[in-house]
Amino acid sequence: MLTSIAGPGYLNFRFSPRFWAQTLRDIEQPDFGRPNIGEGRRVLIEFVSANPTGPLHVGHGRGAVLGDAVARLLAFAGFDVTREYYV
């Protein structure tokens, strides 16, 4: 890596082709970036669906998307995730 100063408050970094090739090989691994902070601990994620007694709107879908995203992130981090999707 080569570093040069490009004026006050700026640094230019130059990486070799070898560095980029190794980085791409690392990223291709299926467990790249996987933290093991969960260590198999159990966690319950509860999220709600649309209210069946009222009109349907975009906010109902948001709860499902956010709940599923949080559950997937926790599972990737090593937690044993149980999902409860309430109707």
Side-chain angles (χ1 to χ4, degrees), residues 10-85:
Y10 295 95
L11 292 175
N12 287 330
F13 294 95
R14 292 185 182 93
F15 299 98
S16 69
R18 182 176 168 212
F19 168 83
W20 289 117
Q22 181 60 46
T23 301
L24 289 174
R25 278 193 294 275
D26 292 343
I27 290 172
E28 289 175 348
Q29 300 303 316
D31 61 347
F32 175 76
R34 182 184 305 262
N36 195 16
I37 59 175
E39 299 175 347
R41 289 182 289 180
R42 294 177 56 180
V43 64
L44 172 65
I45 302 295
E46 298 179 352
F47 48 103
V48 297
S49 67
N51 181 355
T53 63
L56 187 63
H57 57 80
V58 175
H60 294 123
R62 180 186 61 195
V65 170
L66 287 175
D68 186 60
V70 169
R72 287 174 183 259
L73 287 170
L74 289 172
F76 185 75
F79 289 90
D80 178 17
V81 179
T82 301
R83 295 168 175 86
E84 291 288 339
Y85 183 73

